Amino acid sequence: MIKDMMKKVDMIKTIQSTEARAWLALKKSQVKNGKESQITKEYRERWMTLKCLMSALDIESDVELVESKEALQIILDNFKITW
């Protein structure tokens, strides 16, 4: 029973980490290539697929992951530049 719970926690952490890396890649691509570039659109599609999977499994994003914090920082930096 405990082993099964640990496997489930590991699976959730892996999905959260994958989603955070996909979100970071999307944000970096938006800055580097622009929001309308084909590669950015592909990154967005990958990230949205992961978000849909997470939603179906009732898993929330882990904003404490390093990748999530980096993505948030990119958003904040971009916001400061535009203002």
Side-chain angles (χ1 to χ4, degrees), residues 6-82:
M6 291 180 71
K7 284 182 182 180
K8 184 177 180 180
V9 168
D10 286 344
M11 179 194 71
I12 290 170
K13 289 294 180 192
T14 299
I15 292 170
Q16 288 174 323
S17 179
T18 302
E19 182 268 337
R21 286 192 308 271
W23 191 40
L24 178 59
L26 168 63
K27 292 302 166 187
K28 284 182 176 180
S29 181
Q30 286 177 338
V31 170
K32 182 180 177 185
N33 304 310
K35 289 183 179 183
E36 297 303 317
S37 76
Q38 185 59 37
I39 192 160
T40 299
K41 289 178 182 179
E42 289 173 15
Y43 280 126
R44 176 177 295 284
E45 187 175 316
R46 290 179 191 167
W47 176 66
M48 290 302 297
T49 300
L50 285 165
K51 291 298 287 181
C52 288
L53 170 66
M54 290 173 67
S55 179
L57 296 172
D58 200 27
I59 299 173
E60 294 188 20
S61 297
D62 185 349
V63 295
E64 294 301 317
L65 292 171
V66 172
E67 294 89 346
S68 294
K69 289 180 180 181
E70 279 186 59
L72 287 170
Q73 190 59 51
I74 289 171
I75 293 168
L76 286 174
D77 291 346
N78 192 40
F79 181 75
K80 288 177 188 175
I81 290 171
T82 58

Side-chain angles (χ1 to χ4, degrees), residues 1-6:
M1 180 88 159
I2 293 175
K3 209 173 194 181
D4 290 339
M5 286 299 293
M6 291 180 71

